[in-house]
Amino acid sequence: MRILLAEDDEYLHSALMLALKHKGYSVDGVKSGPEAQSALLTNLYDLVLIDLGLPGLDGLTVLEELRSRGDDMPVIIITARDSIDDRISGLDLGANDYLVKPFDFRELE
């Protein structure tokens, strides 16, 4: 399974990359919205893990553009934004799940 991880927090990015690779996944990591867009346009992924607070272009915009192209690739939002309105917005835009930081890796897995 090939995963795109779009997370700008250096610690969480590194920890998730390491944990996912340890579980046998192939993972590409990016740290900004424009990098996520570029990766999604040039590569095929089985899953996207995306933070909402990405620099350059937020995760909701990346998700919205992905869905507007008709792409139904599974997307899990990983974010510190924990309000009900944020959750509803993310899910309404087409996210398959919404995890609030901090989360246990077992929950993501």
Side-chain angles (χ1 to χ4, degrees):
M1 175 181 271
R2 188 170 183 195
I3 298 172
L4 174 64
L5 171 63
E7 170 61 58
D8 66 318
D9 178 271
E10 185 63 43
Y11 176 77
L12 184 56
H13 187 268
S14 296
L16 286 174
M17 291 285 290
L18 183 64
L20 291 166
K21 287 180 179 181
H22 179 73
K23 289 291 185 176
Y25 298 108
S26 172
V27 186
D28 293 342
V30 297
K31 296 181 181 176
S32 74
E35 289 176 315
Q37 271 187 324
S38 178
L40 289 166
L41 288 171
T42 57
N43 300 292
L44 295 175
Y45 294 99
D46 299 299
L47 173 68
V48 178
L49 302 174
I50 192 164
D51 182 21
L52 294 184
L54 295 171
L57 191 66
D58 71 34
L60 284 179
T61 302
V62 175
L63 172 61
E64 188 173 26
E65 290 180 6
L66 181 70
R67 294 301 187 235
S68 72
R69 293 193 306 264
D71 196 323
D72 62 354
M73 174 186 329
V75 174
I76 299 175
I77 292 173
I78 52 174
T79 185
R81 297 181 193 172
D82 62 353
S83 77
I84 294 300
D85 288 338
D86 287 327
R87 292 176 197 215
I88 290 170
S89 292
L91 294 170
D92 281 350
L93 284 174
N96 297 84
D97 206 348
Y98 193 107
L99 290 178
V100 177
K101 299 173 191 173
F103 54 87
D104 190 292
F105 183 73
R106 294 173 297 172
E107 182 180 8
L108 173 62
E109 189 178 25

